Amino acid sequence: MSFLTLSHIHKAFGTAVAVQSFDLGIEKGEFVAFLGPSGCGKTTVLRMIAGFEQPTTGTITIDNADITRVPANKRKIGMVFQQYALFPNMTVIENISFGLKIAGASRQEMHSRATEMLQIIGMLEFAGRYPSQLSGGQQQRVALARALAIRPQVLLLDEPLSALDAKIRTSLRQEIRSIQRQLGITTVFVTHDQEEALSIADRIVVMNKGNIEQVGSPRDIYNQPGTQFVASFIGTLNVINAAVSDETAGHIALDGQTVRTADALGGLGQRVAIALRPESIALNPEPNGGNSVTATVDEIYFLGSVVRIRTRLREQYLNVDTFNSPGFVPPARGEAVQLGFAESAVKVLHDHDTTRGSAPS
Amino acid sequence: MSRPKTAPLAWLLFGIAFVYLLLPLVAMLWASLTTPRGVTADAYVAVFSTPGFAEALLFSVRSGLITIVITTLLVVPTAYWVNLRMPRLRAVMEFFTLVPLVIPPILLTFGLIRFFNGTPLTNTGDGLYVLLIGGYVVISFPFFYRAIDAGLQAINLRVLTEAAQSLGAGWTTILFRVIFPNMLVAILNGSFITFAIVLGEFTISSLLSQPAFSPYMLDLSYREADQATALSIISFGFTWLIIVVISIVGSRRAGGARQIISR
Ligand SMILES: Nc1ncnc2c1ncn2[C@@H]1O[C@H](COP(=O)(O)OP(=O)(O)OP(=O)(O)O)[C@@H](O)[C@H]1O
Ligand SMILES: [Mg+2]
């Protein structure tokens, strides 16, 4: 059995269902990210693990002990909040020592552990400051240290970086990850930023409307999105509608142009949604026996090292990413281009609604 | 922080209010200093040697402090719980805070006496003192509650509570280590008002025949008008002095909280 398990968790607020049939096992020392749009229930699951909410039905265990009914202050679970939550009346070191004091640690123990934590977050010289004298990033680091000081069984982070600016966000998430590795602490990190989840998690749980859509490694989630929701949520993927023309041979039509897919088409009906990564499409390739379609260049976006070309089939759009190498001359708008991609790049998604191909984000 | 330029009109209104408040004080000061023998501070000297002066003052100061302690212990946890768990009850609480303001103290006192008639609360001296403090708590409750409520609105109650809980804190720890210290400024604000109310309160203490400061002052004014006026001035100054002392002590303890404000 996993270290932290959530079994058949269901949570309703009145009649509104926030989380349903949630099943998840997290291994000791694992770093798991909950990823999903606003309101999908990420925080609610986290708060149930922390003990701030009670599941309507279902059980939560840590290390084989059922903690579903254990009050929050008896769970030994560290939490870092989205809002700044340091105690304003206490200095940095007093904040970090707070949990140790409650646990009845001796003065000496308290001091040495707090100092150790300050060292880990690299803020030794800030020990005597009040939270109001710290930057947002520093406050979140102290909040992390405070949560870790009690040596919790599980560390929960609810969008701890969302109030910070982009640069700090990137560096701090790397710092969080390396501290997590160093201490080997089981961690759940909530975010609605796919890049954040992809870059630091061992495993990602993609959530939508209170359900788990997919659980997998960042590679899996990115390369093998299981559902249309996952594919479209992982922003840069092309998600387009296709008509099945030959189920057994794997032939499908994208706006009238037939391509082949390596995925099974059996039992999916006439219309399917497929996902195509922009970087798996080659612009005007040498003919190599793979799929090839004709499209018109609609728009060109320079994204730094990458140039994203939005092309149009008939009604649907396909984004194509190419490296911005020095010799690269982008096609002109309105120009007709050939797009080549492998059979294996055409991913068939397992639910189908009719979302349009996503525009560049 | 740069202060916006204050409009002349604001200064004018401020000036009018200031004069309006100050004039009676100046008049009293004048009356207490002039005697048929010329301008002297005799009344001020005499007041301190009047029998009963120190006792009455001490009695009221002590009662004020007791009232503050009781009100704090009653109001802070209540307001905390209402804000945290029953935010919808805030409207109801606000209504409750109006009740002591619309019920005249004289009614309140008679009500208390009638209600507890024949019990030790009205039969014994200690009982009457308990009734007096009870009355003080009731009349200072609206002001105190509003000060605390405003203070609680200003901090992120839920997150601080949950942060403390996740670190192992139970309710008492949360109240005394997290909420009270962060409410210090609000508690002080409530305390100032409470203290001023208790020191100037006349109706309840007089009806319960308690040796408080205001009844003493009235009594004195029958015998020595000049001294009574001098005493009013002194008590005014004294109230301010106490308030300043409380605020200095408080602001030193509330170092963290003050830094937030000054930022
Ligand atoms: N205390 C509550 N009472 C009623 N409904 C709630 C409560 N807390 C959450 N909800 C509802 O449950 C759903 C899930 O909310 P939750 O906060 O878990 O979303 P989230 O995924 O964390 O979103 P975000 O990314 O915006 O933080 C939402 O529809 C929300 O309105
Ligand atoms: Mg949330």
Side-chain angles (χ1 to χ4, degrees):
Chain A
M1 200 153 141
S2 305
F3 182 66
L4 167 64
T5 66
L6 295 121
S7 323
H8 316 301
I9 299 291
H10 185 90
K11 175 70 181 176
F13 294 102
T15 54
V17 176
V19 175
Q20 47 190 325
S21 43
F22 197 98
D23 277 291
L24 185 68
I26 296 174
E27 301 307 323
K28 198 164 181 137
E30 202 180 7
F31 192 116
V32 170
F34 287 0
L35 176 65
S38 189
C40 70
K42 307 180 294 288
T43 299
T44 306
V45 175
L46 212 66
R47 291 173 59 80
M48 288 190 285
I49 301 174
F52 301 135
E53 302 284 0
Q54 285 286 314
T56 312
T57 58
T59 44
I60 302 172
T61 67
I62 293 182
D63 209 2
N64 292 321
D66 187 341
I67 56 153
T68 319
R69 307 280 153 197
V70 176
N73 62 341
K74 301 272 186 282
R75 287 195 184 187
K76 277 203 91 167
I77 289 181
M79 178 127 180
V80 178
F81 299 83
Q82 177 173 2
Q83 304 97 321
Y84 302 133
L86 295 181
F87 305 124
N89 58 311
M90 300 178 202
T91 59
V92 166
I93 196 151
E94 286 167 348
N95 263 284
I96 296 176
S97 313
F98 185 83
L100 301 168
K101 203 175 203 170
I102 289 169
S106 70
R107 273 189 101 74
Q108 206 184 354
E109 200 180 334
M110 232 153 67
H111 185 79
S112 71
R113 183 89 63 84
T115 312
E116 180 194 338
M117 285 300 147
L118 280 171
Q119 240 149 15
I120 288 178
I121 58 166
M123 286 182 61
L124 213 45
E125 67 274 29
F126 293 89
R129 293 240 192 137
Y130 282 96
S132 57
Q133 301 167 317
L134 301 176
S135 73
Q138 290 168 336
Q139 288 191 48
Q140 289 305 67
R141 262 147 72 192
V142 175
L144 179 68
R146 181 178 68 175
L148 289 171
I150 57 167
R151 303 236 160 98
Q153 308 198 71
V154 175
L155 175 66
L156 306 175
L157 304 115
D158 190 359
E159 310 201 26
L161 308 176
S162 64
L164 309 174
D165 66 56
K167 253 218 166 81
I168 311 260
R169 207 149 59 205
T170 324
S171 70
L172 198 48
R173 79 181 178 218
Q174 280 154 5
E175 199 176 325
I176 289 176
R177 178 54 157 154
S178 82
I179 292 170
Q180 184 269 339
R181 279 223 172 90
Q182 188 182 336
L183 303 179
I185 185 162
T186 313
T187 302
V188 182
F189 185 102
V190 163
T191 178
H192 58 247
D193 180 343
Q194 51 141 331
E195 188 197 315
E196 205 164 274
L198 290 168
S199 63
I200 58 172
D202 291 320
R203 251 187 332 151
I204 295 178
V205 177
V206 184
M207 293 179 61
N208 181 30
K209 294 184 184 145
N211 290 297
I212 295 183
E213 286 275 336
Q214 191 177 356
V215 182
S217 69
R219 272 181 67 97
D220 285 348
I221 298 284
Y222 192 78
N223 294 334
Q224 315 278 347
T227 66
Q228 175 155 0
F229 173 82
V230 176
S232 59
F233 191 74
I234 305 295
T236 55
L237 273 177
N238 293 297
V239 178
I240 59 179
N241 295 313
V244 176
S245 44
D246 187 337
E247 202 177 279
T248 41
H251 285 192
I252 54 174
L254 310 179
D255 279 4
Q257 304 189 54
T258 301
V259 299
R260 278 199 319 275
T261 171
D263 286 6
L265 287 168
L268 289 175
Q270 258 306 295
R271 297 199 57 80
V272 291
I274 61 141
L276 251 178
R277 286 162 56 191
E279 66 270 31
S280 66
I281 303 175
L283 192 66
N284 295 324
E286 304 293 323
N288 57 4
N291 288 312
S292 179
V293 295
T294 311
T296 319
V297 174
D298 184 66
E299 195 62 80
I300 295 163
Y301 304 93
F302 285 96
L303 306 177
S305 61
V306 167
V307 180
R308 178 162 301 160
I309 301 162
R310 186 163 76 150
T311 67
R312 206 158 78 114
L313 293 169
R314 192 170 59 215
E315 280 143 13
Q316 306 189 82
Y317 294 92
L318 269 183
N319 287 317
V320 179
D321 282 358
T322 45
F323 281 112
N324 189 11
S325 48
F328 176 71
V329 182
R333 286 174 54 193
E335 198 178 301
V337 289
Q338 286 294 314
L339 304 178
F341 43 89
E343 287 172 25
S344 57
V346 183
K347 301 291 176 200
V348 176
L349 301 172
H350 283 251
D351 51 20
H352 35 118
D353 61 32
T354 44
T355 339
R356 299 270 309 267
S358 52
S361 49
Chain B
M1 226 195 305
S2 75
R3 212 159 5 136
K5 277 194 193 125
T6 316
L9 182 68
W11 278 112
L12 183 71
L13 290 175
F14 177 74
I16 292 172
F18 193 70
V19 169
Y20 177 79
L21 291 171
L22 210 64
L23 221 50
L25 274 175
V26 173
M28 275 164 62
L29 192 65
W30 182 246
S32 65
L33 289 173
T34 51
T35 63
R37 283 164 286 126
V39 177
T40 77
D42 285 354
Y44 288 84
V45 179
V47 155
F48 288 101
S49 49
T50 316
F53 164 76
E55 287 84 349
L57 187 61
L58 261 177
F59 179 91
S60 282
V61 169
R62 190 173 45 135
S63 307
L65 294 179
I66 294 173
T67 307
I68 287 170
V69 170
I70 293 175
T71 314
T72 306
L73 290 177
L74 279 178
V75 167
V76 176
T78 310
Y80 168 64
W81 200 252
V82 166
N83 272 284
L84 185 71
R85 285 294 159 90
M86 294 174 277
R88 265 183 262 158
L89 272 191
R90 281 189 71 221
V92 179
M93 288 306 293
E94 224 145 84
F95 173 74
F96 278 137
T97 63
L98 290 177
V99 175
L101 297 178
V102 295
I103 294 182
I106 194 160
L107 267 184
L108 173 71
T109 319
F110 277 127
L112 284 173
I113 293 172
R114 290 288 292 271
F115 190 78
F116 292 108
N117 196 18
T119 69
L121 281 181
T122 50
N123 290 344
T124 63
D126 285 352
L128 284 176
Y129 188 65
V130 172
L131 270 193
L132 176 76
I133 299 292
Y136 285 166
V137 169
V138 170
I139 57 172
S140 55
F141 163 73
F143 307 97
F144 210 98
Y145 187 87
R146 274 157 196 262
I148 299 299
D149 192 57
L152 288 171
Q153 292 286 308
I155 63 169
N156 201 335
L157 210 57
R158 196 164 99 153
V159 174
L160 290 186
T161 301
E162 288 177 354
Q165 277 181 314
S166 74
L167 294 166
W171 291 115
T172 20
T173 311
I174 295 176
L175 261 175
F176 287 96
R177 296 260 183 82
V178 179
I179 303 303
F180 274 103
N182 284 302
M183 282 299 100
L184 218 52
V185 174
I187 292 173
L188 280 174
N189 286 341
S191 303
F192 299 158
I193 306 173
T194 303
F195 197 80
I197 288 174
V198 169
L199 224 60
E201 203 288 324
F202 175 78
T203 317
I204 304 176
S205 46
S206 153
L207 286 174
L208 294 176
S209 349
Q210 295 294 302
F213 191 63
S214 279
Y216 171 80
M217 219 148 65
L218 182 72
D219 189 44
L220 186 66
S221 73
Y222 294 142
R223 293 179 277 128
E224 304 279 354
D226 275 1
Q227 281 187 28
T229 317
L231 195 50
S232 317
I233 300 274
I234 291 169
S235 80
F236 182 79
F238 183 73
T239 309
W240 273 98
L241 186 76
I242 294 278
I243 286 175
V244 167
V245 168
I246 300 180
S247 96
I248 289 173
V249 172
S251 64
R252 207 173 284 152
R253 295 237 11 235
R258 213 163 38 125
Q259 271 139 9
I260 297 174
I261 293 160
S262 66
R263 260 213 151 187

